[in-house]
């Protein structure tokens, strides 16, 4: 069999980066625009968004498995199996979206109490939470379509979809925050309405775009007999991966609960810092996703040595990018923070964290690039075991020790998270170098 043609890293990375950047903007545009309304609204939506990240972990484990299986079947030139994987993943994430939405809508009060969100912020953000969380099914379908398009090495069309969603969301936020066109100023509630409407439109358009470019149609022949072997493969990939990501998000919720006890100033400061970190991570994540597409297809085609080389090259580029981007952010930290707020207390709490953000983000690169490559090769359990262990034994434990007991506040929390990223990153490096992932493929 002739060697498979894999798209170049640049041709994959640029549209993925732009798409992720737009997704990040859509995810944070509510916070960005609400800072013109009130800092308390920012704190409320920021805290709630951390909870809502759990849904993306749940959807993400199906999407990751979808990407891996599609990429490996594409590498093996098995079109029928690709169509089966798409069908099953869409059905599963649709059902999960409906279930998660029902849980958010039914137990919102209990959830927000458990993360220690101050009552004044709960009152501000509860309707936003019920809207965005309760209708998360739209996000489930959109993310699935995006994962499918990426696995086909064709991420550009979803970039345009997210551009439209972004523009629509900004327009809707403007109506409900600034009262454009005579609309009522509803603050966080209005932002929730805008987010849900824009995601609904993105869901419909994203599905149509994916169906066109991947030549996909729902066909009974892909469900009769029901492809339980595909479900088994999705779960064998997804459950350990979900465990890894779920542990990280639970860890971050536990850390956020610690921050919530520090008061509204620290809550809002962390919200802005996490927003900046999300933008910084976008560079490395896009390279990680592009590398995973390459590795998955190459492993499916049994070109393991080339897959190994591609990951190492991507890691080098990602480290350099992280140093340049994060270094620039640290240099201009005050100017960046003053875009969000002029509150001196928030600025004082935030600015001291930036040097530690640099250390954390450079260490995070190892995990983003190598873990994506390990997953794409089918090596799932090792990253999960290491990830779960270090999140609780390093990130959470030392956030409590340094941030609470030693009263180092956000600085202590960032140091603990940086240690977690570096220890895990070194472990992932040795795993990739060992090449034990070579016998982990799923096909």
């Amino acid at each position: 069999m002739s060697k498979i043609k894999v798209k170049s890293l640049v041709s994959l990375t640029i549209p993925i980066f732009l798409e992720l950047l737009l997704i990040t903007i859509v995810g944070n545009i509510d916070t960005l625009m609400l800072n013109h309304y009130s800092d308390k609204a920012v704190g409320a939506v920021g805290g709630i968004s951390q909870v809502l990240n759990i849904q993306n972990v749940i959807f993400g484990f199906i999407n990751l498995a979808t990407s891996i299986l599609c990429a490996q079947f594409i590498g093996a030139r098995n079109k029928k199996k690709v169509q089966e994987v798409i069908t099953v993943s869409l059905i599963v994430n649709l059902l999960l979206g409906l279930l998660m939405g029902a849980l958010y809508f039914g137990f919102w009060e209990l959830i927000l109490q458990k993360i220690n969100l101050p009552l004044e912020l709960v009152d501000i953000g509860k309707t936003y939470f019920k809207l965005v969380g309760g209708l998360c099914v739209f996000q489930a379908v959109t993310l699935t379509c995006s994962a499918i398009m990426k696995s086909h090495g064709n991420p550009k069309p979803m970039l345009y979809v997210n551009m439209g969603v972004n523009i629509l969301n900004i327009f809707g936020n403007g109506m409900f925050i600034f009262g454009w066109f005579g609309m009522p100023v509803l603050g966080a509630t209005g932002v929730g309405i805008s987010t849900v409407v824009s995601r609904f439109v993105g869901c419909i358009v994203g599905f149509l775009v994916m169906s066109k470019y991947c030549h996909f149609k729902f066909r009974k022949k892909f469900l009769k007999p029901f492809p339980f072997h595909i479900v088994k493969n999705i779960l064998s990939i997804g459950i350990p991966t979900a465990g890894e990501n779920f542990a990280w998000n639970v860890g971050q919720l536990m850390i956020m609960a610690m921050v919530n006890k520090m008061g509204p100033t620290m809550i809002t400061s962390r919200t802005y810092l996490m927003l900046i970190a999300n933008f910084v991570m976008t560079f490395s994540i896009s390279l990680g996703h592009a590398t995973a597409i390459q590795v998955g297809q190459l492993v499916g085609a049994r070109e393991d040595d080339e897959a190994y080389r591609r990951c190492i090259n991507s890691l080098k580029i990602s480290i350099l990018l992280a140093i340049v981007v994060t270094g620039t952010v640290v240099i201009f930290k005050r100017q960046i923070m003053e875009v969000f707020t002029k509150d001196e207390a928030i600025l004082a709490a935030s600015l001291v964290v930036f040097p530690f953000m640099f250390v954390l983000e450079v260490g995070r690169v190892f995990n983003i690039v190598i873990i994506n490559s390990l997953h794409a090769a089918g090596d799932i359990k090792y990253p999960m075991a290491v990830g779960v262990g270090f999140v609780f034994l390093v990130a959470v434990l030392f956030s409590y020790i340094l941030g609470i007991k030693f009263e180092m506040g956000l600085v202590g929390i960032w140091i603990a998270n940086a240690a977690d990223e570096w220890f895990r990153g070194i472990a992932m490096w040795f795993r990739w170098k060992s090449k034990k992932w070579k016998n982990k493929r799923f096909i």
Side-chain angles (χ1 to χ4, degrees), residues 269-282:
S269 298
R270 180 182 179 276
T271 299
Y272 288 134
L273 289 167
M274 291 298 291
L275 189 155
I276 294 166
N278 286 338
F279 280 104
V280 171
M281 281 190 286
T282 304

Side-chain angles (χ1 to χ4, degrees), residues 16-47:
I16 291 175
F17 166 72
L18 293 173
E19 181 194 349
L20 288 173
L21 183 62
L22 286 168
I23 290 172
T24 302
I25 291 171
V26 170
N28 293 294
I29 197 70
D30 298 343
T31 304
L32 284 166
M33 295 185 74
L34 275 171
N35 81 67
H36 295 286
Y37 181 75
S38 81
D39 282 330
K40 287 184 178 180
V42 169
V45 171

Side-chain angles (χ1 to χ4, degrees), residues 228-421:
F228 286 105
H229 60 289
I230 297 293
V231 176
K232 180 181 177 182
N233 279 339
I234 287 176
L235 294 178
S236 66
I237 299 169
I239 290 176
T241 306
E244 175 189 347
N245 288 318
F246 187 76
W248 187 87
N249 276 276
V250 169
Q252 291 303 309
L253 281 174
M254 293 172 71
I255 291 168
M256 188 182 71
M258 299 177 201
V259 176
N260 287 345
K261 291 183 177 179
M262 299 176 188
T265 296
M266 290 298 183
I267 294 171
T268 305
S269 298
R270 180 182 179 276
T271 299
Y272 288 134
L273 289 167
M274 291 298 291
L275 189 155
I276 294 166
N278 286 338
F279 280 104
V280 171
M281 281 190 286
T282 304
F283 292 92
S284 299
I285 292 172
S286 57
L287 276 164
H289 285 185
T291 307
I293 293 168
Q294 293 182 323
V295 169
Q297 293 185 3
L298 289 166
V299 167
R302 301 186 180 276
E303 296 179 30
D304 295 337
D305 291 338
E306 181 64 14
Y308 175 84
R309 187 185 69 81
R310 298 278 183 123
C311 175
I312 297 298
N313 287 344
S314 293
L315 179 62
K316 292 175 182 177
I317 296 169
S318 294
I319 291 172
L320 180 61
L321 268 175
I323 291 171
V324 172
V325 173
T326 315
T328 303
V329 167
V330 172
I331 291 170
F332 296 102
K333 59 183 183 291
R334 175 169 282 275
Q335 292 89 335
I336 292 170
M337 281 301 303
E338 287 181 348
V339 170
F340 304 118
T341 184
K342 304 294 184 183
D343 188 297
E344 286 300 325
I346 294 173
L347 290 173
S350 303
L351 293 176
V352 293
V353 175
F354 278 81
F356 304 98
M357 181 187 292
F358 178 86
V359 177
L360 188 154
E361 296 305 329
V362 175
R364 200 196 303 270
V365 166
F366 286 86
N367 292 302
I368 290 173
V369 174
I370 299 179
I371 289 177
N372 270 291
S373 295
L374 288 169
H375 287 164
D379 194 353
I380 306 296
K381 293 181 181 178
Y382 180 83
M384 183 270 293
V386 173
V388 172
F390 277 108
V391 162
F392 294 109
L393 295 177
V394 179
V396 175
L397 177 61
F398 283 91
S399 287
Y400 177 75
I401 293 172
L402 298 176
I404 304 297
K405 286 296 183 181
F406 287 5
E407 298 183 350
M408 294 174 67
L410 293 178
V411 169
I413 284 170
W414 249 260
I415 291 172
N417 278 273
D420 166 50
E421 294 290 350

Side-chain angles (χ1 to χ4, degrees), residues 96-301:
L96 279 174
L98 293 171
L99 177 61
M100 288 292 296
L103 290 174
Y104 281 140
F105 196 82
F107 298 97
W108 65 270
E109 190 171 10
L110 176 64
I111 293 169
L112 297 183
Q113 285 176 354
K114 290 297 182 183
I115 64 169
N116 296 323
L117 196 67
L119 285 177
E120 60 179 328
L121 300 190
V122 171
D123 288 338
I124 292 170
K126 61 184 179 183
T127 305
Y128 174 90
F129 181 71
K130 287 189 283 186
L131 282 168
V132 178
L135 294 171
C136 64
V137 65
F138 304 142
Q139 187 80 336
V141 174
T142 304
L143 292 173
T144 306
C145 293
S146 181
I148 293 164
M149 292 290 288
K150 289 189 184 106
S151 69
H152 282 72
N154 195 12
K156 192 179 293 185
M158 289 304 293
L159 164 64
Y160 301 132
V161 173
N162 280 294
M163 285 177 65
V165 170
N166 191 30
I167 292 168
L168 186 60
N169 197 31
I170 291 171
F171 184 77
N173 283 354
M175 289 195 298
F176 293 114
I177 293 175
F178 306 118
W180 293 351
F181 304 106
M183 296 298 289
V185 176
L186 300 177
T189 298
V191 165
I193 295 170
S194 173
T195 300
V196 167
V197 170
S198 62
R199 286 182 175 178
F200 170 72
V201 174
C203 165
I204 299 299
V205 177
F207 177 76
L208 294 174
V209 167
M210 182 278 295
S211 299
K212 176 183 176 181
Y213 282 90
C214 298
H215 307 291
F216 172 75
K217 288 183 180 179
F218 274 111
R219 291 190 174 95
K220 292 181 179 179
K221 67 178 182 179
F222 296 134
L223 298 174
K224 290 185 178 181
F226 191 82
F228 286 105
H229 60 289
I230 297 293
V231 176
K232 180 181 177 182
N233 279 339
I234 287 176
L235 294 178
S236 66
I237 299 169
I239 290 176
T241 306
E244 175 189 347
N245 288 318
F246 187 76
W248 187 87
N249 276 276
V250 169
Q252 291 303 309
L253 281 174
M254 293 172 71
I255 291 168
M256 188 182 71
M258 299 177 201
V259 176
N260 287 345
K261 291 183 177 179
M262 299 176 188
T265 296
M266 290 298 183
I267 294 171
T268 305
S269 298
R270 180 182 179 276
T271 299
Y272 288 134
L273 289 167
M274 291 298 291
L275 189 155
I276 294 166
N278 286 338
F279 280 104
V280 171
M281 281 190 286
T282 304
F283 292 92
S284 299
I285 292 172
S286 57
L287 276 164
H289 285 185
T291 307
I293 293 168
Q294 293 182 323
V295 169
Q297 293 185 3
L298 289 166
V299 167

